[in-house]
Amino acid sequence: MLIKRNSNGIDLPFASEITPRHVFESRRDFIRKLAVGSIAGGALLEMASREAFAASSTAQKLVAQPNPAYVVLDKQTSYKDATTYNNFYEFGTDKESPARYASAMKARPWTVSIEGEIKKPMTLDIDSLLKLAPLEERVYRLRCVEGWSMVIPWIGYSLSELIKKVEPNSNAKYVEFVTLADKEAMHGLNRAVLDWPYVEGLRIDEANHPLALLTLGMYGEVLPNQNGAPVRIVTPWKYGFKSAKSIVKIRFVKDQPRTAWNLAAPREYGFYSNVNPQVDHPRWSQASERRIGEDGLFTKKRPTLMFNGYSQVASLYTGMDLKKFF
Ligand SMILES: Nc1nc2c(c(=O)[nH]1)N[C@H]1C(S)=C(S)[C@@H](COP(=O)(O)O)O[C@H]1N2
Ligand SMILES: [Mo]
């Protein structure tokens, strides 16, 4: 297959060369059905027209270099599970709502304003973000505080690349991420579950840790809306809620940011929220987790690992009591 790339790393295939993943998968499924002889002439016709329709899909591919230093070997979560079982409360609080409603959000055009204690405040659009550093594919575990986890091939680059560019001054002790709060597109904002907009934050040294990923895509494509299009953070050693979706503002600040979940329930969700099997949530154990896609009556839960298995971050917390700073 011939692929033309523009300078953003987005490939520009000719229309006839596009094979969106769902077409590819349905084709594979079709071949399988054909093999077991369960498909009739009528269904064949239906398949053909479905393909013609799907060929005009706009799911934009992203070319990224796999970075073997950041690839967990666990089996990857299926694209379907990763895009239909989500937490994105702006679109409703149940797991299916983001996939159902997030298409109302317009992920382009989009700008991210970078402000606060930095020498070079700037507003970047998505094309500039895509060009800021070489795109890498990294397969990370993501562990939700609710007790489930996924393994996702993300696309992006270390957040430190962006931080370097804006030149923080010595007052920049924390980084705050402010996400989209658009009442028109996000019906979840009508309910005061959280104090909107959803805000998250990291200490500056956490934000500068190479694992912290400024994320623009997953599974070889731009981020689906329900996963936080067009730009989110992924901090895999922390519970999933620290990985703020659909970011519109990044602020460098002196004081620890007041983050959405910490504000809503300070005794349950700390600022740090490092994955820690030894510190239980007040209402449930954090010692083990359910891997999405592995559920079955007899499937064993997996033990949760300290820092979600990312022991390279441990030195960020030397001397800190992680029961107190949970
Ligand atoms: N803006 C925003 N970001 C968010 C959330 C949210 O509700 N709103 N939920 C968080 C939670 S609880 C989790 S577990 C992850 C889920 O990411 P995923 O749906 O891509 O797996 O997104 C996080 N980022
Ligand atoms: Mo979560």
Side-chain angles (χ1 to χ4, degrees):
M1 182 167 117
L2 238 158
I3 290 175
K4 248 174 76 182
R5 270 173 219 173
N6 69 14
S7 55
N8 301 338
I10 299 177
D11 53 358
L12 303 165
F14 299 104
S16 62
E17 293 163 348
I18 298 175
T19 307
R21 187 188 5 69
H22 62 279
V23 175
F24 173 76
E25 283 174 0
S26 71
R27 222 178 252 161
R28 206 169 45 184
D29 187 47
F30 170 68
I31 291 165
R32 193 176 48 78
K33 279 185 184 143
L34 206 62
V36 297
S38 68
I39 210 160
L44 222 160
L45 238 154
E46 190 218 58
M47 282 297 301
S49 59
R50 200 153 52 125
E51 248 193 52
F53 170 74
S56 63
S57 158
T58 52
Q60 198 177 19
K61 294 197 174 178
L62 271 188
V63 175
Q65 196 66 39
N67 185 336
Y70 298 102
V71 171
V72 295
L73 297 175
D74 310 21
K75 183 171 180 283
Q76 286 180 24
T77 302
S78 74
Y79 179 87
K80 185 159 192 289
D81 283 342
T83 56
T84 55
Y85 189 91
N86 301 101
N87 273 338
F88 200 160
Y89 276 22
E90 289 86 333
F91 296 106
T93 53
D94 62 280
K95 300 287 179 276
E96 298 77 34
S97 282
R100 194 170 306 145
Y101 301 113
S103 58
M105 175 173 75
K106 253 187 87 187
R108 271 174 195 262
W110 187 282
T111 56
V112 181
S113 155
I114 304 160
E115 35 191 86
E117 301 288 352
I118 49 178
K119 296 194 188 91
K120 295 187 171 156
M122 54 182 81
T123 298
L124 296 172
D125 61 17
I126 292 305
D127 291 326
S128 324
L129 280 172
L130 284 165
K131 274 188 286 202
L132 194 130
L135 294 176
E136 296 176 10
E137 178 174 85
R138 301 185 183 183
V139 184
Y140 281 167
R141 270 184 222 105
L142 190 78
R143 173 32 164 106
C144 175
V145 74
E146 295 164 341
W148 49 267
S149 59
M150 297 199 195
V151 178
I152 297 181
W154 302 108
I155 297 173
Y157 45 80
S158 293
L159 174 60
S160 63
E161 299 280 354
L162 175 73
I163 297 178
K164 203 164 59 187
K165 199 172 150 88
V166 299
E167 299 181 28
N169 64 42
S170 58
N171 287 329
K173 300 281 197 277
Y174 294 88
V175 186
E176 181 184 68
F177 306 98
V178 182
T179 75
L180 184 72
D182 175 359
K183 276 211 161 172
E184 298 280 297
M186 301 167 143
H187 70 88
L189 300 187
N190 296 319
R191 285 181 55 199
V193 213
L194 291 169
D195 193 1
W196 313 110
Y198 191 101
V199 171
E200 257 310 332
L202 297 168
R203 217 171 55 193
I204 188 92
D205 57 338
E206 297 180 311
N208 266 319
H209 193 281
L211 261 180
L213 191 70
L214 189 93
T215 307
L216 297 148
M218 61 193 253
Y219 296 88
E221 299 173 357
V222 297
L223 283 173
N225 282 9
Q226 61 266 41
N227 293 86
V231 57
R232 69 178 296 177
I233 293 297
V234 180
T235 46
W237 72 97
K238 293 177 177 284
Y239 290 118
F241 68 86
K242 298 295 289 181
S243 296
K245 293 175 168 179
S246 303
I247 294 168
V248 292
K249 198 185 286 185
I250 301 178
R251 290 179 62 219
F252 292 77
V253 294
K254 232 170 128 182
D255 302 313
Q256 186 175 301
R258 313 203 53 195
T259 54
W261 278 106
N262 182 244
L263 268 172
R267 276 183 302 277
E268 302 190 5
Y269 310 106
F271 174 79
Y272 285 93
S273 284
N274 293 316
V275 174
N276 189 342
Q278 286 146 34
V279 178
D280 287 337
H281 185 280
R283 293 184 279 132
W284 60 82
S285 161
Q286 293 291 27
S288 64
E289 67 203 55
R290 181 170 66 90
R291 183 62 52 81
I292 298 300
E294 281 183 351
D295 354 56
L297 204 50
F298 303 105
T299 309
K300 272 212 180 124
K301 285 182 131 196
R302 291 169 175 256
T304 287
L305 306 172
M306 186 65 204
F307 300 122
N308 203 17
Y310 297 95
S311 52
Q312 65 265 50
V313 300
S315 61
L316 293 172
Y317 310 104
T318 311
M320 279 176 73
D321 177 355
L322 296 181
K323 286 203 163 73
K324 188 170 167 217
F325 297 101
F326 62 95

